Amino acid sequence: MTLKDVLDGTRLEAYLRGKVTDSGRGRQTVFTGFSIDTRTLKRGEIFFALKGPSFDGNDFIPEAFQKGAAAAVCSLEWFRKEGDSLADRLLIPSGDTLASLQELSSFHRRKFKLPLVAVTGTNGKTTTKEMIAACLGQKGKVLKTEGNLNNHIGVPLTLLGLSLEHSTAVLELGMSRRGEIRRLAEIARPSVGVITNVGAAHLRDAGSVDEIVKGKSELGEYVESGGTLVLNADFPQLVKENEKWNLRKITFSLDRPSQFRLKRFTQKGAGYEIEVEDGAAYYVPLLGKGNISNSLAALAVSKLMGISDAEFARAIASMKPMPGRMELEEVGGIRIINDSYNANPVSVSLALETIREIEVRGKKVALLGDMLELGEASGSLHKEIGERAAFLDELYAIGEFSLHIREGAEAKGMPSSRIKTVETREEALNLLKPALASGDLLLIKGSRGMKLEEVFKGLKANRMVNKAKVAK
């Protein structure tokens, strides 16, 4: 990819509001891509020196050039102090390097008229994005968000990967407070917006569920004119908040009136056979009722984009669990659902509902860790989770709010002898090892910061591991 491929030959600094210095050689520089990390930078890429709470990307500019960077976008302050030391390099000083990255990506996105789907929501963003991308991928090459690049840095970097090879794009948009979705949507300019659901998450920053509803609904402000919003009708407040946008609305639901409403589902192995009221029928090879809802969102988008029922069913049947997201494995006869990637009240409740419905020969057990970033509501929300977990045969709670989980479970009648509170992952692992037996089902669930995947790995290391082989 050259500069011409990216910006139609227009000089880069016009969109970065900076001044280019290249020792007066006046030669065309070839760019191969963009980078914000010298550890992964490839020769020929433009390095953006971003600042974070504990790092300054400007400090890595010399290293970026040593690794073959074609140019570096640096801060004005750094350029004035250090620019002369790299006078033979292509430097682009900017008053705000992050804003420059976002501006460049926004300009680049506007060159393409292809359909772009933006997905946000409290839960299910990543899985829904993957489902939609798999479906649309049957019609052509799809640009999609990779990993956790769903924020003010990741979305611009993803958009800069758009090329003429792509027929569609599917982006994931994350938020922790009001205004963030608006900015990401402004950059991405989606033609279709999807809001999977809303619930209590990031309350420390967002403040309330009402603020989260409003924050997620900012997506509609920058959906292109004539575009579509796909909304979860199981959250009436969400539907009402989005009435203000002059856009086509398509709704989906597990049990409310909507265009794509679940008719029935049957658990089969590590997934569900699903029927929708419009006549669609398919198999989702993923556990968790949340994934039924996610599939309905993907179905709505697929229908909108001209994907047939047969094509949709084929794509959804090929889905595999994302690491740490309702990932089922059999460990020495014990079935473990590793859902340790993250947690909030909605996702924990859905995970508990899932294991309540699964038939087992032995015990139903859960290791529940703290749900982080819930602010002042943390205690009461953890107590509510304990109440929902009271049906379990055994409950293990770990973290600062483990006593609140215990309190909730006991309030719903769970004997205290069946509840264990622990302080460390090592303690949890040592208690679980002898307590579990063949035929048991264990759920591991907690926020990212709890790192409960280490308990899962410890259990795997302790026994012979076989991937769960479930007939579809």
Side-chain angles (χ1 to χ4, degrees):
M1 178 169 60
T2 67
L3 180 61
K4 186 176 186 304
D5 296 320
V6 177
L7 295 175
D8 295 333
T10 307
R11 287 184 67 78
L12 179 68
E13 70 272 19
Y15 299 96
L16 297 177
R17 298 175 181 169
K19 175 184 176 184
V20 171
T21 61
D22 62 359
S23 299
R25 291 181 235 179
R27 54 185 173 82
Q28 175 75 30
T29 302
V30 177
F31 302 92
T32 61
F34 304 88
S35 175
I36 61 167
D37 191 337
T38 55
R39 293 170 296 183
T40 56
L41 183 144
K42 298 180 179 61
R43 181 169 295 278
E45 291 183 332
I46 298 173
F47 176 68
F48 279 81
L50 304 183
K51 285 188 176 182
S54 58
F55 69 90
D56 184 346
N58 291 284
D59 296 337
F60 299 92
I61 290 175
E63 180 183 345
F65 282 121
Q66 289 173 7
K67 292 190 172 183
V73 181
C74 59
S75 70
L76 284 169
E77 181 181 10
W78 184 90
F79 181 74
R80 289 169 182 149
K81 291 181 179 179
E82 306 290 342
D84 289 345
S85 65
L86 292 171
D88 61 335
R89 302 291 191 175
L90 182 55
L91 296 171
I92 305 169
S94 168
D96 186 333
T97 55
L98 175 58
S100 293
L101 175 67
Q102 294 175 343
E103 184 179 354
L104 177 63
S105 69
S106 180
F107 169 78
H108 182 57
R109 187 275 178 266
R110 292 197 299 272
K111 297 191 319 175
F112 296 86
K113 301 302 180 184
L114 52 70
L116 189 150
V117 182
V119 182
T120 191
T122 300
N123 297 292
K125 296 184 294 295
T126 300
T127 300
T128 303
K129 175 259 301 181
E130 291 292 329
M131 287 178 171
I132 294 171
C135 294
L136 301 186
Q138 297 180 101
K139 298 292 189 181
K141 188 171 183 180
V142 179
L143 176 76
K144 67 176 183 177
T145 300
E146 299 292 348
N148 61 353
L149 296 177
N150 65 2
N151 61 9
H152 58 299
I153 298 172
V155 169
L157 285 173
T158 300
L159 282 170
L160 285 170
L162 267 176
S163 74
L164 295 176
E165 295 179 345
H166 296 112
S167 60
T168 54
V170 186
L171 301 186
E172 178 183 332
L173 311 185
M175 68 159 272
S176 56
R177 58 177 61 86
R178 287 280 297 276
E180 293 177 344
I181 294 296
R182 176 182 290 111
R183 178 56 179 148
L184 296 179
E186 181 184 17
I187 295 168
R189 301 283 174 163
S191 49
V192 179
V194 180
I195 306 181
T196 60
N197 50 51
V198 286
H202 305 295
L203 291 181
R204 185 183 62 194
D205 295 322
S208 68
V209 173
D210 183 60
E211 286 292 289
I212 291 170
V213 171
K214 291 177 180 177
K216 297 294 185 184
S217 299
E218 292 170 356
L219 176 61
E221 183 175 350
Y222 286 101
V223 172
E224 293 178 337
S225 177
T228 303
L229 273 178
V230 178
L231 304 169
N232 191 336
D234 290 326
F235 298 83
Q237 185 182 3
L238 175 67
V239 176
K240 183 175 178 58
E241 180 66 27
N242 282 276
E243 289 176 352
K244 60 189 175 185
W245 307 123
N246 185 24
L247 299 164
R248 179 185 180 186
K249 313 294 196 318
I250 296 177
T251 56
F252 62 94
S253 172
L254 295 179
D255 56 17
R256 289 177 178 268
S258 57
Q259 288 100 317
F260 294 88
R261 182 177 183 178
L262 178 68
K263 184 176 182 180
R264 66 173 61 92
F265 74 95
T266 304
Q267 186 190 332
K268 185 176 180 181
Y272 304 95
E273 290 182 339
I274 294 170
E275 290 184 53
V276 184
E277 286 189 351
D278 76 341
Y282 53 93
Y283 179 78
V284 178
L286 305 172
L287 280 176
K289 285 188 72 174
N291 283 321
I292 299 177
S293 182
N294 296 337
S295 74
L296 294 174
L299 177 62
V301 174
S302 295
K303 288 274 195 176
L304 183 67
M305 306 287 277
I307 303 297
S308 70
D309 286 350
E311 290 170 326
F312 174 81
R314 182 166 56 248
I316 294 299
S318 70
M319 298 298 299
K320 298 185 184 304
M322 303 289 289
R325 294 177 173 92
M326 296 303 288
E327 183 182 17
L328 176 65
E329 292 203 24
E330 186 172 315
V331 182
I334 302 164
R335 284 183 292 172
I336 300 179
I337 298 177
N338 175 25
D339 199 24
S340 60
Y341 181 79
N342 218 336
N344 57 54
V346 174
S347 67
V348 178
S349 296
L350 287 170
L352 288 169
E353 187 175 347
T354 297
I355 67 170
R356 180 195 283 270
E357 295 173 351
I358 295 176
E359 294 184 3
V360 300
R361 292 184 291 106
K363 304 186 301 291
K364 292 184 178 181
V365 184
L367 169 64
L368 302 181
D370 284 353
M371 303 176 292
L372 304 178
E373 301 180 16
L374 295 179
E376 294 180 359
S378 293
S380 61
L381 290 172
H382 281 84
K383 181 181 177 181
E384 288 179 14
I385 290 301
E387 293 172 355
R388 293 177 183 272
F391 71 91
L392 295 166
D393 296 299
E394 293 178 7
L395 171 61
Y396 296 78
I398 178 173
E400 180 182 352
F401 299 101
S402 59
L403 292 180
H404 293 276
I405 295 175
R406 169 187 281 277
E407 180 185 1
E410 290 178 338
K412 283 294 183 178
M414 190 174 190
S416 58
S417 60
R418 287 165 33 198
I419 307 170
K420 302 288 191 299
T421 56
V422 298
E423 296 182 358
T424 67
R425 292 183 293 273
E426 182 180 11
E427 186 181 357
L429 179 60
N430 289 335
L431 285 175
L432 283 167
K433 283 179 182 178
L436 296 171
S438 180
D440 290 348
L441 174 66
L442 169 67
L443 168 69
I444 299 176
K445 181 75 171 168
S447 280
R448 183 90 298 274
M450 299 302 294
K451 298 182 180 179
L452 294 187
E453 70 277 5
E454 293 183 10
V455 177
F456 175 60
K457 292 175 183 176
L459 289 171
K460 288 175 65 174
N462 191 53
R463 297 170 182 263
M464 181 182 296
V465 179
N466 293 304
K467 284 281 186 180
K469 297 180 179 178
V470 184
K472 296 181 180 179

